Amino acid sequence: MADAEINHCGAGETRKTSHGTLALTVCAAAIGGTLQYGYNISIINAPTLHISRFINDSYVDRWGTGLETTQVTLLWTVIVSAFTLGGLLGSLMGGPLAVRFGRKITLLLNNSFLFVGALLVLTCRVAKSFEMLIIARILVGINSGISMSVQPMYFGESAPKHLRGAVTFSSAVFTAFGIFLGQVVGLTVLLGSEPLWHYLLASNALPGLIQLCTLPWFPESPRYLLIDREDREACMRALARFRGGEVPATEVEELLQEQQLNSTASNPGSSASAITLWSLFKNPDLRHQLRTVIAASSAMMLCGNDAIYFYASYIFMAAGIPAEEIQYVTLGTGACELTAAIVCNLLIERLGRRFLLVGGYSLMSCLTVVFTVALTLQRRGVPGMPYLSIACMFAYILSFGLGPAGVTGVLPAEIFDQATRPAAYVVYGLLIWFSLFLVGMLFPFIIQGFGNFCFLPFLVVCLTSAIFQGLTLPETKGKTLVEITAEYDRKKGLKKKKPVIQRDELGEDQHLRKASNFINSVHNSDPQLDMKTEV
């Protein structure tokens, strides 16, 4: 029975660890996860007129009389809003399901909502029932709500700390890719025509099918396996696969510290048990972390980025772009956000979360002022203002994609421990979906009441968020949970009272030896486990 091999790396040596399995896991999970959120938001825009006609035709076939225009608009609004309602339900379900079944299994089971929704969409024209569309959009919303909460959790728990931000941020990259893909597939020359619109809405089943065929081959979250399930062998196997066969003892030490932190917070000697939403709000030790998530997730949807998409057609028409060509120009907005997300994914581990979040909202605040001035002068007929409005619109989307779009989803994975993370993502999901619903309902009235100054409320949100996060959010890049918690305590002017073993109490060598002994004990208990450990 061979012992695990311990490789000691000097401080100046560069560690070369393969993360191919981790990268493939990200693709397999995200293609049926957050990509669905962006895709399903995007594809509903192209067939607006076709679905409105279908609603009226269905009513005529059923009752022999047509609906008034206002009634058709109301039913169309219900179909669109049903997605948000489903998202709210899904965000409530995501945390408990992730605790009960695990992160990976929850993402796989989540596809059942998607497939039932696709079946309803495919058969609604034969059944002549627009009610089936409403139910389908609710189910698709549940799917997106669950994936928006569980997928970043899965990524954050599976990635090493030096890649944690980039891996978790990939959720935003796939969301932006989903928006752009939905815009492309929804073109009239593809699936956006009248005979094919139901195939467009049902096409979301294809990414889900790809996920079902690929994700089962990849590991579960190592943190979930060790801390929630107390399955040491499965944790080491998952960690070895995610790290290319090498298990860094320093990372095992971090896992053991978090396990000890969770067991001490609950009952000594017991495994971590996920806390409820109510317990999270009652915990005074987590109040500042909770404020961070509440402020960040609310601002992400209330900052006006979705309103920019709503206003895009008007801006393009004012610039003299023909109506039939606007769908092609609109592709630029999706491509812009996708490009920004990819660039931010490359920068997040260099510049840090706090810089990108505060910088993004600061840029958006400045652009909101310029955008408002451009809209005002455009109404007065000043030449060139429509083009300045277009430039501001693309710059606003870029600023959003470079920071708030992805960094917000990273924060709950980094500032909460294993027991509180599912509840924190429930809060994150609820606020995102509620804020999205709020903007969708109120923005038409804001346009009516504020006119050219309709983006000033978003200026308040962006400016307030930049100031708040700049003052309260500690930098989390490359830090363990214990270090991040200590940063929050320093900002609060408190000292940690929980009996957490720090490095300086036992010494680094003793901590690493403890981690190495843990790896060796796991290896000895499972002779088939063949891996190298790296200190």
Side-chain angles (χ1 to χ4, degrees):
M1 198 180 297
D3 289 335
E5 181 184 343
I6 311 293
N7 298 325
H8 295 271
C9 293
E13 295 181 25
T14 302
R15 185 176 65 193
K16 294 181 180 179
T17 304
S18 172
H19 295 292
T21 299
L22 181 61
L24 292 173
T25 302
V26 166
C27 293
I31 199 169
T34 52
L35 180 140
Q36 293 283 11
Y37 168 70
Y39 188 74
N40 285 294
I41 278 183
S42 184
I43 59 174
I44 197 65
N45 295 321
T48 299
L49 295 177
H50 308 317
I51 294 177
S52 298
R53 192 177 298 115
F54 167 71
I55 291 171
N56 190 59
D57 291 345
S58 299
Y59 195 86
V60 170
D61 289 338
R62 193 179 305 171
W63 304 106
T65 182
L67 292 167
E68 296 181 4
T69 304
T70 54
Q71 293 173 316
V72 173
T73 303
L74 176 62
L75 288 173
W76 163 248
T77 305
V78 170
I79 291 173
V80 174
S81 302
F83 179 73
T84 308
L85 175 61
L88 281 168
L89 295 174
S91 62
L92 283 172
M93 297 165 60
L97 286 174
V99 173
R100 174 68 179 84
F101 297 106
R103 286 42 166 162
K104 185 182 81 170
I105 299 301
T106 298
L107 289 173
L108 291 171
L109 293 175
N110 191 30
N111 287 295
S112 59
F113 298 106
L114 197 69
F115 294 143
V116 174
L119 183 63
L120 289 172
V121 170
L122 287 173
T123 55
C124 69
R125 296 188 77 169
V126 177
K128 297 180 180 180
S129 171
F130 58 82
E131 294 88 352
M132 294 170 69
L133 273 181
I134 298 173
I135 298 172
R137 291 295 290 179
I138 291 175
L139 293 174
V140 170
I142 291 174
N143 171 273
S144 296
I146 292 174
S147 63
M148 287 283 286
S149 297
V150 178
Q151 182 185 303
M153 198 188 313
Y154 181 36
F155 290 173
E157 293 175 1
S158 302
K161 67 179 181 181
H162 68 283
L163 292 176
R164 188 175 54 211
V167 171
T168 310
F169 194 96
S170 61
S171 296
V173 175
F174 276 90
T175 298
F177 178 60
I179 291 173
F180 178 68
L181 184 63
Q183 290 174 337
V184 172
V185 177
L187 292 173
T188 306
V189 294
L190 295 177
L191 296 181
S193 60
E194 199 281 331
L196 301 175
W197 65 262
H198 57 302
Y199 293 112
L200 172 64
L201 297 186
S203 61
N204 54 21
L206 184 58
L209 187 61
I210 294 174
Q211 185 187 74
L212 275 183
C213 295
T214 55
L215 188 58
W217 300 98
F218 297 104
E220 177 59 270
S221 156
R223 272 180 167 77
Y224 174 78
L225 292 171
L226 178 65
I227 300 175
D228 288 83
R229 291 287 181 87
E230 292 192 303
D231 192 338
R232 300 186 304 172
E233 290 81 6
C235 171
M236 290 298 103
R237 280 196 295 269
L239 204 56
R241 288 192 63 193
F242 279 133
R243 305 297 177 262
E246 295 180 348
V247 180
T250 51
E251 191 168 348
V252 175
E253 176 198 354
E254 181 189 340
L255 283 171
L256 292 174
Q257 282 190 341
E258 188 172 343
Q259 184 185 37
Q260 183 181 11
L261 176 67
N262 279 273
S263 60
T264 304
S266 51
N267 293 313
S270 66
S271 63
S273 58
I275 69 170
T276 63
L277 195 61
W278 179 243
S279 299
L280 177 64
F281 277 97
K282 288 198 303 180
N283 191 336
D285 294 330
L286 298 173
R287 201 154 289 161
H288 282 71
Q289 289 91 323
L290 192 59
R291 286 174 186 168
T292 297
V293 171
I294 290 174
S297 53
S298 299
M300 188 176 82
M301 288 302 175
L302 295 177
C303 68
N305 187 67
D306 292 296
I308 288 284
Y309 282 99
F310 180 87
Y311 220 67
S313 296
Y314 162 75
I315 295 172
F316 291 144
M317 282 189 290
I321 298 173
E324 63 273 10
E325 301 296 330
I326 286 179
Q327 61 174 332
Y328 299 101
V329 181
T330 305
L331 290 177
T333 59
C336 187
E337 186 167 343
L338 176 59
T339 303
I342 293 173
V343 171
C344 188
N345 191 258
L346 300 174
L347 295 176
I348 190 170
E349 294 300 347
R350 296 186 180 185
L351 300 179
R353 289 65 157 146
R354 185 172 176 271
F355 177 84
L356 290 172
L357 193 64
V358 175
Y361 280 124
S362 299
L363 283 174
M364 292 164 71
S365 300
C366 297
L367 288 166
T368 303
V369 175
V370 179
F371 196 24
T372 301
V373 172
L375 288 175
T376 303
L377 295 178
Q378 181 178 316
R379 282 288 177 90
R380 295 181 180 179
V382 177
M385 286 302 105
Y387 300 102
L388 178 59
S389 298
I390 291 177
C392 286
M393 181 184 67
F394 280 104
Y396 199 89
I397 293 172
L398 276 171
S399 302
F400 177 76
L402 283 172
V407 175
T408 305
V410 176
L411 294 178
E414 294 191 319
I415 66 179
F416 289 93
D417 61 26
Q418 194 73 12
T420 56
R421 195 172 293 127
Y425 267 108
V426 169
V427 174
Y428 161 81
L430 281 174
L431 288 171
I432 279 181
W433 288 98
F434 177 73
S435 301
L436 180 63
F437 174 78
L438 209 60
V439 170
M441 294 298 293
L442 295 181
F443 188 60
F445 297 101
I446 292 175
I447 293 176
Q448 186 177 4
F450 286 78
N452 299 331
F453 301 96
C454 60
F455 284 92
L456 290 183
F458 303 126
L459 169 63
V460 176
V461 172
C462 293
L463 191 59
T464 303
S465 184
I467 295 172
F468 178 81
Q469 300 297 356
L471 294 175
T472 63
L473 178 65
E475 181 51 65
T476 61
K477 180 187 71 172
K479 295 179 181 178
T480 65
L481 177 65
V482 174
E483 293 168 336
I484 294 169
T485 304
E487 285 286 337
Y488 269 105
D489 289 336
R490 273 194 289 271
K491 283 184 173 290
K492 291 185 288 185
L494 300 174
K495 291 185 177 180
K496 192 72 177 174
K497 295 183 179 180
K498 290 184 179 180
V500 180
I501 299 177
Q502 303 289 347
R503 270 185 189 270
D504 54 3
E505 293 179 30
L506 294 179
E508 183 174 355
D509 290 338
Q510 218 168 327
H511 274 287
L512 295 177
R513 181 55 53 189
K514 180 181 176 183
S516 299
N517 291 338
F518 173 81
I519 298 171
N520 285 333
S521 67
V522 172
H523 182 83
N524 292 336
S525 65
D526 188 357
Q528 296 181 348
L529 186 60
D530 183 22
M531 60 185 159
K532 294 181 181 180
T533 60
E534 185 181 274
V535 179

